[in-house]
Amino acid sequence: MHTSVNELFEALWQHYLTVTPSALKIHDLLGGDEAIINDHVAFRTFKHPKVGLEKLAAHFLALGYEQKGEYHFEAKKLYARHYEHADPMAPKVFISELLLEQCSPELQHIVDGLIKQVDEDLPQQTGFLYSGAPWRISHADYKTLADESEYAGWLAAYGFRANHFTVSVNHLKDYDSLEAVNSTLKQAGVRLNDAGGEIKGSPEVLLEQSSTMADTALVTFTDGEGALPSCFYEFALRYPRPDGELYTGFVAASADKIFESTDASRG
């Protein structure tokens, strides 16, 4: 496993940029010469003993992260947890998993076939979190998954990688609101996820979020190639709790809409 938080997140960032080239342009647009502080990184997986949430979390726990909140997304059949490091500048981590037992027998059968292709030792390997798809899938099976669960289709196509990085708006020198960030992005031609409104959340729930719609990348199937939504970039503005410290959790109702940033049907 990685020996430092910075080393792991740099590897994740470089892998993420291979399918999310717009993120680097946005990074430069908002940050200029200033370093961008990353609020959190999110990951997706299937609930399965071989590759479940705990397998991903182990890489962060080994670097000093601790589990904090947990979240339920009943309509999307997802369960998630978030993790934080003692260093407040270290990115938070949000990991979700698809509850396969709640999905159709057909989806379960296809996913079982994918997971059978995964080497037993992959989840312990240093590069597991940015290993991509460790399986092969036909376009027809991908379509079957995506029709039932956009999340399952995306995960089958892209595998293990950072689903999104998140700019901490609180740490941007030239912006003091999410509206201002969104305005700059739209003027630059960036398309934002408007599911539930461009800004999800509010000062009342201590968190506002917005995100781009995912870039498009070519995915190789067993029977050809397809251009699919890949990853996206998120922007988060956190508000202080009554004790004066910034809120560090997540809001399930907002995260539910952020998931739709990879949904091609919203295009």
Side-chain angles (χ1 to χ4, degrees):
M1 293 191 179
H2 284 276
T3 55
S4 79
V5 172
N6 287 346
E7 181 193 18
L8 171 56
F9 281 97
E10 180 58 25
L12 288 166
W13 173 253
Q14 293 303 329
H15 187 243
Y16 162 80
L17 290 179
T18 62
V19 294
T20 326
S22 70
L24 193 57
K25 296 173 188 163
I26 293 168
H27 185 280
D28 294 342
L29 177 68
L30 295 179
D33 297 331
E34 299 285 316
I36 293 268
I37 301 299
N38 183 25
D39 180 86
H40 70 272
V41 175
F43 299 87
R44 298 179 176 185
T45 193
F46 296 115
K47 184 186 178 186
H48 186 282
K50 202 170 181 182
V51 297
L53 186 154
E54 288 87 358
K55 298 289 188 182
L56 282 69
H59 290 259
F60 296 101
L61 297 174
L63 291 172
Y65 276 79
E66 293 181 1
Q67 182 191 327
K68 297 295 183 180
E70 60 177 352
Y71 311 88
H72 300 270
F73 303 91
E74 291 177 9
K76 290 184 170 64
K77 302 181 172 69
L78 304 175
Y79 170 74
R81 294 178 186 161
H82 98 266
Y83 299 80
E84 296 178 26
H85 196 274
D87 175 2
M89 299 306 282
K92 288 167 279 293
V93 173
F94 187 92
I95 306 174
S96 57
E97 61 183 7
L98 180 65
L99 304 174
L100 295 173
E101 70 275 13
Q102 295 182 16
C103 299
S104 71
E106 190 173 22
L107 182 146
Q108 292 184 48
H109 176 73
I110 293 172
V111 171
D112 193 53
L114 298 181
I115 293 173
K116 279 194 169 84
Q117 299 175 52
V118 179
D119 288 342
E120 287 292 341
D121 66 340
L122 176 63
Q124 286 78 47
Q125 291 178 10
T126 298
F128 170 54
L129 293 170
Y130 47 93
S131 57
W135 46 61
R136 303 272 285 145
I137 186 171
S138 68
H139 188 270
D141 279 351
Y142 158 77
K143 190 79 172 59
T144 299
L145 294 181
D147 284 348
E148 179 174 341
S149 165
E150 185 276 325
Y151 182 107
W154 185 94
L155 184 50
Y158 288 103
F160 301 104
R161 61 174 65 240
N163 169 261
H164 62 271
F165 274 71
T166 309
V167 172
S168 171
V169 177
N170 297 79
H171 292 91
L172 288 177
K173 183 168 59 79
D174 297 330
Y175 299 88
D176 57 6
S177 72
L178 199 49
E179 287 90 347
V181 170
N182 288 352
S183 177
T184 293
L185 295 172
K186 288 189 289 187
Q187 285 172 17
V190 175
R191 198 160 76 88
L192 297 178
N193 170 358
D194 60 5
E198 285 181 357
I199 293 180
K200 296 91 169 87
S202 66
E204 287 70 36
V205 296
L206 307 182
L207 176 63
E208 291 181 339
Q209 296 164 271
S210 65
S211 62
T212 67
M213 289 302 289
D215 281 13
T216 301
L218 271 183
V219 173
T220 302
F221 297 102
T222 55
D223 50 357
E225 287 186 330
L228 304 177
S230 55
C231 301
F232 59 94
Y233 213 0
E234 189 185 322
F235 315 93
L237 179 64
R238 296 181 177 277
Y239 289 87
R241 302 181 312 227
D243 65 5
E245 296 293 319
L246 284 182
Y247 176 67
T248 58
F250 293 84
V251 177
S254 301
D256 186 76
K257 300 301 183 188
I258 293 286
F259 279 119
E260 298 183 24
S261 297
T262 55
D263 190 346
S265 70
R266 298 196 61 79

